[in-house]
Each structure stands twice: as C-alpha cells, then as structure tokens.
Amino acid sequence: MRISRFFLRAGNALLSFFIVLALLLAGSWAAYALWDNNQVYTAAEDVQEALLKLKPVVDEDGDGGASFDELLAINEDVCAWITMDGTAIDYPIVQGENILSYINTDVYGNFALAGSIFLDPANTTDFRDAYCLIYGHHMENSKMFGDLELYEDEEFFAENTTGTLILPDRSYSLTVLACMVISASEDAIFSPDQWFEDTSGLLDFAEENALCLSESVLSAARATDGLQLLALSTCSSDYTDARTVVLTVMTPN
C-alpha cells in the first residue's frame, strides 16, 4: 500500500511538473510572439517615417521632378509614390522582376515581413496602361495597405474619395470608384493585361461586385476617353483567400 501511494504521489508530482513546464513554455512563446509582432510593426513604421522625408513634391509642371532623384538613388525600382487622403497610405511604389520580389523586401532592399507597396509585373513602370494594379500587405495600426479595409464602410467611402499618384515626369489625381472584397483568383482584377486596351468590362465587374460604389464616378468613367484605372489590393479576413480591392480613376494633373 505504501509503495502504491509513493508511485501515485510521484506520478502526480511528475504530472504537475509537466503542466507547469507547458504553461511556462506557452507563456514564453506568447511573450516572444508579442515581441516579434511588435518588431515587425516597429520596422514598418521606421521605414515609412524615413521614406516620408523623401516624398516627392509635385512641382509647377505637375510632376515629381528632381525630388524623385533621392528615391531612385535608394532603389532604381521605385516608379511612383501613392497617397490616399484620409488614410495612412503614403508610400513609394516599386516594381520587381516578379510578384514575389517585394513581398518581404522593403524599399531599401532589406528583408522585411511588411514588404513594400509594389506594381504588378505585367504593368509598365510609367503607368501608361489603361489598368494598373498595386499590392500591399494588410497590417494593423494603419501600416502598409491596412487602411484599405476602411473603404468597406459606406460612410468612410463616401467621405474619403481622393488620392494622388506621383511619377518622376507627371502626376495623377485619384478618385475612388469602388471597393470590393473578392477572391485572390479573380482574373477580372488580378490579370491586368486583359484591360490594357478596353476597361469597359472592368467597370462592369466593379459595378456588379462592389461593396461600395460611386455612381457619379462610374458614370463619368464610362464617358471618359482614354480612361485609366488604378486598383489597390490587400489581404482580407472576410474569408479564405479574400482580397480587399479599392478601384480608382486616374486623372492627369
């Protein structure tokens, strides 16, 4: 009987030890995960803060002019700068050799989980295509393209309708046309080359699939010769492989 009690106590003590160890490991992992997540967001914030000091200023000719030279000196892949009014979206745009080039690489060429805002490889870097597509990670605290989800709210959508795209030789005013949540496999959005000559089908798609839509902007777009559209895309938590897409009309300044 004493031997049985001894083994029972030993077993209980061993079980308690492993439970405490598991809790300690779980707590340590949670603390590390929080620290690591904070590092990612801090790094993204530091990069944006540094880059904002180099943001091109639109000159009297309506372009980025000489102020773009500093960005190009950092990375020759920089092709534009985008700002969406009413949000924290205020970043340079780069284009790599393929869709993965800047997924986890910042504008300085360093590894960064936040990546960069980048132009689809199918597009030309001079933004002359009738439809251009840019990507950015969805991050909390308004980092990268995290604020795109704000456009899913009808009130925000109605009150925040403008943005600016600055290139070395010209600039565009951006007018928000639609916000959609769609699958990452949706060719209508993610195969931009099909709309390089005629965007009417893309306008139809936006009208049919928009969560929020500006009827006046859509009507004006349909009547515009040489219409150019720019889409901003990021991940969405709505469902597996969902993407939030904000479609804008580009108007030369």
Side-chain angles (χ1 to χ4, degrees):
M1 182 66 70
R2 291 181 178 178
I3 294 177
S4 298
R5 289 179 178 175
F6 171 78
F7 282 112
L8 181 60
R9 291 173 180 172
N12 289 336
L14 188 61
L15 178 60
S16 297
F17 169 78
F18 282 115
I19 291 175
V20 171
L21 180 61
L23 291 174
L24 287 173
L25 290 174
S28 297
W29 173 253
Y32 170 77
L34 288 172
W35 174 84
D36 187 58
N37 187 64
N38 183 66
Q39 292 296 104
V40 171
Y41 281 88
T42 298
E45 185 174 352
D46 289 345
V47 168
Q48 184 185 23
E49 184 177 346
L51 289 171
L52 281 172
K53 298 176 181 178
L54 304 177
K55 180 179 178 179
V57 177
V58 178
D59 59 25
E60 59 183 11
D61 295 322
D63 58 49
S67 64
F68 230 96
D69 293 343
E70 291 180 280
L71 282 173
L72 292 172
I74 292 173
N75 187 341
E76 62 183 10
D77 287 343
V78 175
C79 54
W81 188 289
I82 187 168
T83 302
M84 295 303 293
D85 301 326
T87 77
I89 296 173
D90 205 7
Y91 292 98
I93 302 172
V94 294
Q95 186 186 57
E97 293 182 1
N98 57 63
I99 202 77
L100 299 178
S101 297
Y102 284 97
I103 285 285
N104 293 131
T105 301
D106 66 23
V107 174
Y108 295 96
N110 301 319
F111 173 77
L113 289 175
S116 299
I117 306 303
F118 62 93
L119 178 66
D120 192 287
N123 286 121
T124 56
T125 56
D126 61 4
F127 285 81
R128 297 287 186 186
D129 299 320
Y131 173 52
C132 300
L133 173 63
I134 57 177
Y135 306 84
H137 284 303
H138 180 280
M139 298 183 68
E140 296 178 358
N141 303 324
S142 298
K143 298 298 182 292
M144 305 308 287
F145 271 2
D147 274 355
L148 285 187
E149 68 179 6
L150 297 175
Y151 291 95
E152 297 177 26
D153 178 78
E154 290 186 2
E155 183 176 349
F156 181 90
F157 180 90
E159 295 177 355
N160 297 272
T161 61
T162 59
T164 307
L165 182 73
I166 306 173
L167 279 69
D169 62 342
R170 64 194 187 284
S171 64
Y172 293 88
S173 293
L174 303 177
T175 306
V176 177
L177 167 63
C179 178
M180 299 168 274
V181 175
I182 58 173
S183 169
S185 61
E186 178 53 68
D187 287 341
I189 294 297
F190 299 110
S191 296
D193 52 327
Q194 66 183 302
W195 309 118
F196 284 176
E197 296 183 4
D198 182 7
T199 57
S200 58
L202 181 55
L203 292 177
D204 292 339
F205 178 84
E207 183 176 22
E208 294 170 2
N209 294 273
L211 287 176
C212 300
L213 177 74
S214 172
E215 295 287 354
S216 61
V217 176
L218 177 62
S219 179
R222 292 195 187 281
T224 301
D225 292 330
L227 177 67
Q228 285 187 276
L229 300 173
L230 173 66
L232 293 67
S233 173
T234 194
C235 293
S236 169
S237 60
D238 282 31
Y239 55 86
T240 303
D241 90 339
R243 298 292 184 269
T244 297
V245 175
V246 173
L247 188 63
T248 69
V249 174
M250 300 168 58
T251 303
N253 291 324

